[in-house]
Amino acid sequence: MGGKKINLDWWIAAANILANLLILGIYKYFNFFADSFVIACEALGFHPDHVTLHLVLPVGISFYTFQALSYTIDVYKRKIEPTRDIVAFFAFISFFPQLVAGPIERATNLLPQFLRPRSFRYTNTVDGLRQILWGLFKKMVVADNCAPFVNQIFENYESYNGFTLFVGGLLFTFQIYGDFSGYSDIAIGSAKLFGIELMRNFNVPYFSRDIAEFWRRWHISLTTWFRDYIYIPLGGSRCSQLKVMRNTLIIFLISGLWHGANWTFIIWGAYHALLFFPLMLLGKNRKHTGLVADGRWIPTYGEILQIGGTFLFVVIGWIIFRSENIFEAINYITRMCTHVLIEKPFCMHVLKFPLLMLVIEWVQRDKQHALQIKDGSWLSYHGILRWTIYIALFILTIGYMGENEQFIYFQF
Amino acid sequence: MRKFIVKIFLFSIIIIAIAICLECYIRTIPNTYSYKHKWIKQHKDSIECLITGSSHAQNGINPDCLSLKAFNIGMSSQNLTYDKALLDNYVPMCNNLKSVILTISYPTFWSKELEETKYWYYCTWYKLYMGIQIHPEWWNRYSFELAKPTFVREKIMAYWKHAPLNYYPNGQGTTKVLNQPTPWYQWESAVNSHTHRKDWSMVDYRKSQLEDIIKLCRQHCVKVVLVTTPTWHTYYDRLYDKQLSKMYEIIREIVAKYPDEVVYFDFLKDARFKEDDFFDCHHLSEKGAKVFSTILNDSIHTKLKFHKNCR
């Protein structure tokens, strides 16, 4: 009887997972795989009929599908009891602050919060508003000001010299961070207004000292999801070296594919896997787990080199990510390296916003977000100064906001 | 909860107070629109010729080169809706007005309403500084400069830095404050943004607006001079034939319908203009504007007798 029940649970969970992945697959990947299949056949001399679907991609499908999958798997693994409260369940799946672009929440964290009574908490609410303000600054000032120049450079990359192309890659690096982490901050801050605690999604990733640390700080909700639901079930790091590498490669490729139906995303994932392998093989992928320059204002020369080197690798990865196709990515990077001319690009002035963001985030790198003010800190005793900062940041955001651009991660 | 509500209220009050102060301050900063409106009101009894149209008029026609006492009320992205609104205000006001020079360009009859474009905030300036009441309600975005906060910031910064004005005392726009001429690949984008292959929904409406302008001028015994300003070959070589033909067809119809009120001069592909007469592929430089305005004045003089040199 017990054995039958386990089998039934397995079948239900499997059917549920398959249904979710099927929906995601059809909406997001059908045309990509169909096109790739046709191209491959044509390369072999066959000419199959080309079938494509004209479906509008539902906003946020990648996010809430994974969130639903986490519920199914956690229930199957007995990590959480299945809920009978349909309202709480749908609130968990479709909680508006994080519905369209995450963070991808776990049922073990979010669902119980809907089931227990909540009351207004002043400190949480104020902290939420601060986080929203910081998120708005990153999105409206940093990301939206970089966007037009990024678009112009990437659409006309053949007209620019190498230095300008590098600055274009740099601007996109800041654009995607400002856009995505800004959205996450707004989502987390908004949730706090309702007494809901969402998980942190970004932890100052551009101060990472190696690629492994970068992936522990970038899109944390997604990377931990892959770790817990794919990497560990495949054996994780508790198997042979070859299998560990295989598992790592699978995770990075799926991570790339998750972002969209384009070979550039897959190549981007593979690129990061290649950067990760040396660290893993040398056993140094968990070398940097603490705070960079802990207790110091300035990092050491070694740390500066590590941060700079990691950042450079990340920028190249983002160039691949942003390109329309892999040929464009190759041409862009080739031109960036071969047409080097040190003249001031037309878009240098835009870098002041990301620099300001980086400085503030560096100073506050030990906090959950850049505007977090801990009780007992000197700023917590200076209300007028705090309010001046809030008002100044608010006016700065309104006065320097770029042209309204859609959130990049909405397309995923 | 009460503490939170009080603080939110206080924060909002501070932000609103700052916004009100900024709004009041920015309205005191001199700008093209307020200057032109003030100038016309001061010279309404002496002005003889009004030049209106888009940036092609603003930058391309130098009033000082015309025989009549002229003033340029052309503005960047100004369409026939605002040409008509301005003339509705100024033609009745100017007792001595003899002619109106109105530029008709390749995109004129296809241009969208300003409110639907990324330059929608220009409508605010027409309303606040020139009294154009196309949007009379106070609660819309055209009633406040702060509806476009980034431009408020740019305006204030330019004022504090004593940036040069973008207009001359005669109303002509100056290209001195503009960036370097646009790079080669944006010449094509200028044509693309002006070309309309599919959406011709505005054509009849724009034609009717032009006729309304002519009727208004006729009512006040003012002649209408329609002119297409010169462009460089990289622009006119790329124009969509059907759109250009339709533009000429409309102008021919208008001139035929109002032979006593309207004259038309076409300088689109005029070979007399050299490369340095242009700022970019479809705007004249200040040198080119002088040359063009002199030629235009002579051309008008052959057709409209009162444009003889009578000063």
Side-chain angles (χ1 to χ4, degrees):
Chain A
M1 187 69 172
K4 248 191 181 173
K5 191 174 187 303
I6 288 168
N7 276 340
L8 187 62
D9 285 349
W10 187 92
W11 281 109
I12 292 171
N16 193 301
I17 291 167
L18 201 64
N20 273 299
L21 289 176
L22 199 66
I23 294 168
L24 180 65
I26 288 171
Y27 272 105
K28 203 166 170 181
Y29 301 107
F30 181 88
N31 289 342
F32 168 67
F33 285 114
D35 289 344
S36 301
F37 176 74
V38 166
I39 290 167
C41 288
E42 283 173 353
L44 296 169
F46 299 103
H47 299 280
D49 283 337
H50 201 176
V51 177
T52 51
L53 300 174
H54 299 283
L55 297 171
V56 175
L57 187 66
V59 172
I61 188 170
S62 301
F63 293 90
Y64 55 75
T65 301
F66 273 44
Q67 201 151 300
L69 287 174
S70 86
Y71 173 78
T72 303
I73 297 168
D74 285 349
V75 165
Y76 174 72
K77 288 188 168 181
R78 305 281 191 266
K79 282 186 181 175
I80 188 172
E81 282 298 309
T83 181
R84 295 189 189 285
D85 189 331
I86 194 86
V87 173
F89 176 74
F90 280 123
F92 158 69
I93 292 292
S94 60
F95 187 41
F96 77 91
Q98 43 93 240
L99 173 67
V100 290
I104 301 170
E105 275 295 334
R106 306 296 179 83
T108 47
N109 177 48
L110 189 53
L111 197 53
Q113 295 188 67
F114 287 116
L115 295 170
R116 61 173 175 255
R118 296 178 304 283
S119 59
F120 178 82
R121 285 187 291 172
Y122 177 81
T123 45
N124 265 33
T125 308
V126 169
D127 191 49
L129 286 174
R130 288 190 198 118
Q131 196 162 2
I132 290 170
L133 179 60
W134 183 240
L136 286 171
F137 172 77
K138 285 197 285 188
K139 163 58 180 161
M140 293 165 71
V141 177
V142 177
D144 287 353
N145 275 302
C146 291
F149 298 100
V150 168
N151 295 340
Q152 187 177 334
I153 292 172
F154 274 82
E155 282 164 22
N156 303 288
Y157 68 91
E158 284 152 342
S159 317
Y160 294 107
N161 62 57
F163 189 50
T164 303
L165 294 180
F166 174 71
V167 172
L170 207 62
L171 287 176
F172 181 68
T173 303
F174 293 124
Q175 181 197 351
I176 196 164
Y177 176 65
D179 197 283
F180 196 16
S181 70
Y183 176 87
S184 293
D185 279 331
I186 294 168
I188 295 166
S190 302
K192 280 180 185 171
L193 301 182
F194 294 92
I196 302 284
E197 291 290 334
L198 298 180
M199 70 180 293
R200 189 175 187 179
N201 216 10
F202 292 87
N203 187 5
V204 291
Y206 291 156
F207 300 139
S208 301
R209 288 155 285 188
D210 58 39
I211 281 294
E213 188 181 13
F214 174 78
W215 280 103
R216 283 194 294 276
R217 292 170 178 272
W218 178 273
H219 203 174
I220 297 166
S221 64
L222 180 71
T223 53
T224 52
W225 197 100
F226 281 133
R227 181 197 64 199
D228 293 342
Y229 296 112
I230 299 178
Y231 184 72
I232 290 173
L234 283 174
S237 49
R238 295 181 184 184
C239 40
S240 68
Q241 191 83 288
L242 212 59
K243 281 193 176 173
V244 172
M245 285 178 70
R246 177 205 68 183
N247 297 340
T248 305
L249 184 64
I250 288 171
I251 292 302
F252 275 108
L253 289 178
I254 293 176
S255 178
L257 190 62
W258 176 90
H259 283 83
N262 195 326
W263 284 105
T264 50
F265 299 124
I266 297 169
I267 300 294
W268 170 76
Y271 167 78
H272 275 276
L274 286 174
L275 293 174
F276 192 86
F277 283 149
L279 293 168
M280 201 176 64
L281 292 169
L282 294 170
K284 291 185 177 178
N285 54 309
R286 295 205 65 82
K287 184 179 174 189
H288 302 293
T289 52
L291 189 67
V292 59
D294 195 3
R296 286 176 276 118
W297 283 104
I298 312 285
T300 62
Y301 286 120
E303 283 173 335
I304 291 171
L305 282 171
Q306 287 170 334
I307 292 170
T310 305
F311 185 75
L312 195 62
F313 282 122
V314 166
V315 169
I316 293 170
W318 286 132
I319 290 172
I320 300 169
F321 187 95
R322 174 59 176 79
S323 300
E324 284 295 318
N325 53 62
I326 198 63
F327 302 109
E328 202 177 283
I330 293 168
N331 289 339
Y332 189 109
I333 293 169
T334 308
R335 192 178 171 88
M336 187 174 77
C337 300
T338 54
H339 286 67
V340 181
L341 180 67
I342 308 295
E343 64 172 23
K344 188 180 169 189
F346 63 97
C347 48
M348 284 294 275
H349 63 284
V350 182
L351 285 171
K352 61 180 180 274
F353 301 119
L355 278 172
L356 177 64
M357 175 187 71
L358 287 177
V359 165
I360 294 171
E361 292 213 324
W362 173 262
V363 170
Q364 293 281 82
R365 65 193 182 282
D366 60 331
K367 309 286 191 312
Q368 288 290 309
H369 60 87
L371 286 187
Q372 188 184 39
I373 298 167
K374 285 188 175 158
D375 289 338
S377 65
W378 70 272
L379 199 54
S380 66
Y381 297 116
H382 295 87
I384 293 175
L385 184 58
R386 283 202 316 277
W387 275 55
T388 306
I389 292 170
Y390 303 151
I391 291 167
L393 196 58
F394 183 83
I395 292 172
L396 198 69
T397 302
I398 299 296
Y400 281 93
M401 64 180 176
E403 285 300 317
N404 193 17
E405 297 272 345
Q406 185 179 295
F407 285 101
I408 294 175
Y409 267 70
F410 275 13
Q411 62 186 298
F412 307 137
Chain B
M1 177 67 110
R2 200 171 73 167
K3 182 183 171 189
F4 175 74
I5 292 171
V6 165
K7 290 204 169 179
I8 284 290
F9 181 72
L10 208 59
F11 188 85
S12 308
I13 293 290
I14 294 171
I15 295 291
I16 291 168
I18 292 173
I20 290 171
C21 291
L22 269 175
E23 182 71 31
C24 293
Y25 175 66
I26 189 125
R27 291 191 192 194
T28 64
I29 295 176
N31 59 75
T32 317
Y33 295 76
S34 61
Y35 171 76
K36 290 187 178 183
H37 183 67
K38 214 182 275 182
W39 195 98
I40 292 182
K41 282 176 80 174
Q42 284 170 355
H43 298 88
K44 59 183 168 62
D45 293 327
S46 59
I47 193 165
E48 295 172 314
C49 175
L50 278 176
I51 302 157
T52 186
S54 65
S55 52
H56 295 155
Q58 184 188 25
N59 295 334
I61 303 177
N62 185 337
D64 294 342
C65 297
L66 301 180
S67 308
L68 299 183
K69 184 175 179 183
F71 188 71
N72 192 322
I73 57 169
M75 302 284 198
S76 181
S77 300
Q78 186 162 290
N79 57 28
L80 282 171
T81 301
Y82 282 90
D83 286 324
K84 180 176 172 306
L86 287 170
L87 292 173
D88 279 343
N89 269 9
Y90 297 143
V91 168
M93 195 192 292
C94 301
N95 302 315
N96 210 22
L97 195 66
K98 293 187 171 64
S99 66
V100 163
I101 299 175
L102 172 62
T103 54
I104 300 291
S105 308
Y106 169 66
T108 295
F109 295 111
W110 286 260
S111 59
K112 282 187 181 162
E113 295 295 7
L114 208 52
E115 292 81 346
E116 296 166 29
T117 69
K118 60 179 178 177
Y119 303 113
W120 60 267
Y121 51 95
Y122 290 12
C123 304
T124 312
W125 302 333
Y126 284 110
K127 180 176 179 178
L128 293 180
Y129 304 115
M130 298 183 105
I132 302 296
Q133 295 299 321
I134 290 175
H135 304 283
E137 307 85 16
W138 68 267
W139 59 81
N140 57 40
R141 62 179 176 174
Y142 310 111
S143 300
F144 304 101
E145 285 263 29
L146 275 175
K148 183 76 175 173
T150 48
F151 212 84
V152 165
R153 192 241 322 147
E154 284 175 19
K155 240 187 181 181
I156 292 174
M157 299 295 279
Y159 185 60
W160 285 351
K161 288 179 185 173
H162 304 289
L165 296 171
N166 59 354
Y167 55 91
Y168 287 115
N170 60 16
Q172 184 195 5
T174 165
T175 53
K176 284 195 179 74
V177 297
L178 297 176
N179 293 329
Q180 290 298 312
T182 47
W184 66 268
Y185 51 84
Q186 286 186 1
W187 290 16
E188 203 162 330
S189 77
V191 172
N192 288 341
S193 66
H194 290 172
T195 296
H196 301 268
R197 290 178 188 273
K198 288 180 183 169
D199 185 7
W200 284 30
S201 56
M202 291 299 285
V203 174
D204 291 338
Y205 176 60
R206 291 290 182 221
K207 184 184 168 188
S208 70
Q209 284 182 319
L210 180 57
E211 289 200 51
D212 288 343
I213 289 172
I214 293 166
K215 285 172 189 168
L216 169 73
C217 290
R218 178 168 63 182
Q219 204 181 332
H220 291 86
C221 303
V222 173
K223 302 291 183 191
V224 176
V225 178
L226 302 179
V227 60
T228 301
T229 52
T231 58
W232 189 234
H233 71 89
T234 51
Y235 181 83
Y236 64 68
D237 279 345
R238 292 180 166 101
L239 299 184
Y240 179 39
D241 291 337
K242 279 189 178 164
Q243 183 174 331
L244 192 62
S245 304
K246 182 66 178 174
M247 180 193 91
Y248 284 132
E249 182 193 315
I250 293 171
I251 293 171
R252 272 196 304 273
E253 278 175 23
I254 296 280
V255 173
K257 193 173 177 183
Y258 303 96
D260 297 329
E261 287 84 16
V262 181
V263 292
Y264 172 61
F265 300 101
D266 179 19
F267 295 93
L268 183 75
K269 300 181 187 182
D270 198 302
R272 286 175 284 184
F273 298 91
K274 307 294 172 246
E275 194 174 350
D276 64 348
D277 288 325
F278 292 94
F279 176 78
D280 63 24
C281 62
H282 61 113
H283 289 102
L284 290 166
S285 63
E286 287 175 31
K287 172 183 173 288
K290 266 194 190 149
V291 172
F292 171 63
S293 304
T294 308
I295 293 172
L296 177 65
N297 189 57
D298 291 340
S299 302
I300 297 173
H301 154 67
T302 59
K303 289 214 174 169
L304 295 175
K305 291 195 172 69
F306 59 79
H307 258 265
K308 267 189 187 170
N309 192 345
C310 53
R311 287 204 272 179

